[in-house]
Amino acid sequence: MESAVSSAPPVGRVAVLGLGSMGLGMARSIARAGLDVVGFDPMSAAAEAFAAEGGRTAAGAREAATGACIVLCVVVNAAQTEALLFGPEGVAEAMAPDAVFVSCATMDPDIARRLAAKLEATGRHYLDAPMSGGPVRAAEGALTVMASGGSAAFARGRPVLDAIAAKVYELGEAPGQGAAFKMINQLLAGVHIAAACEAIAFAARQGLDLDRVYEVITASAGSSWMFENRVPHVLDGDYAPKSAVEIFVKDLGIVQDMARTARFPVPLSAAALQMFLAASGSGMGSADDASLARVYAALSGASLPEAKTAKSSA
C-alpha cells in the first residue's frame, strides 16, 4: 500500500536505539541504503560490532537521538520503549521537532496508543511498527513490518521502512493497530513452535529417525514455517538463541491479557504459554525457543540429538 503523502520530507540523521540480533541487522541495512545513521546499545559489544564495520555509535540514547529526524527503536518490550522515550534520559524532547519515532517492540496495543498520544503531544510523530522475520532477514533488509500511524508518520519514516523491509503493511492511521496485528502473528507463532517441538519430541519417543521425520513432514500437510525453521535446531542439538524462550513468555502473556480483557477464549495459546513457562522455569529462558523440545523430552524420557560439537569431542 502506498503512503497517502506523495512527497516525503528530506531525510536527516537516523538513530537506531538497540543493536541486538535484530537492531544490528537493521542498522546495517539502513547504512547500506545510504542514509546517515548512528546507533546506540547499552551493551558495549553490540555497539562495538557496528563500529567495527564503520558504523557511527553514540555513548547514550539521548546523544544518538538528538536532532535525529527518524528514531528507530528496536528493544524487547513496552517498558524499555517507554523508558527510552520518557525516562530520565528519554529521547522524546531530543528528537528533531517534526521527527518520527518508529517503535518496533511487540507490545499490548493499548500501551502503543498511550505512548503515541504522549509523544504526539510534543509535536513529534509515532509509528507503531512491529516487525517479523528474524535476524537473517533483518540483515538482508527483508523484514515484514506491520505498521500503523498517521500519514505524516509514514511519510517521514518511509526511507527507513524501505531500507529494512521487503513488505510494509500500512494497517491504519491509529497507532496500536500494528501492535494488534503483531499479536495475532505471535499467537500463531507461539502455538506453532510448541506444536513443532511436541511433534519432534514425540517422534523421538517413538524411536523414529528424526532426520527422516523432518524430510517427510516438511513435504506433507502437517508442516509449518516454524516446523521447517525450528526443528533443525533440535536435529543439530543447537539451542543457541536465535529467538529466546522468554520472548514467547512475554508475547503469549500479552495475548492472554488481551483475550481476558476481550472475554475471548484462547486455549491453544494458553497451553503453549505453559510450555514456554516450563522451559523458562527449567533454566532455558535465554535459550532458543526450540528448547521446548527438551522440556517434552525431559517429561517423557525421549532422547534428542546432542550438539554436533559434543559428539565430535566425545
Side-chain angles (χ1 to χ4, degrees), residues 251-275:
D251 291 355
L252 291 181
I254 294 172
V255 169
Q256 300 304 305
D257 291 342
M258 292 170 63
R260 182 169 53 250
T261 298
R263 298 297 187 265
F264 185 88
V266 284
L268 297 183
S269 62
L273 174 58
Q274 294 306 308
M275 295 308 299

Side-chain angles (χ1 to χ4, degrees), residues 271-284:
L273 174 58
Q274 294 306 308
M275 295 308 299
F276 284 101
L277 286 168
S280 180
S282 298
M284 304 177 197

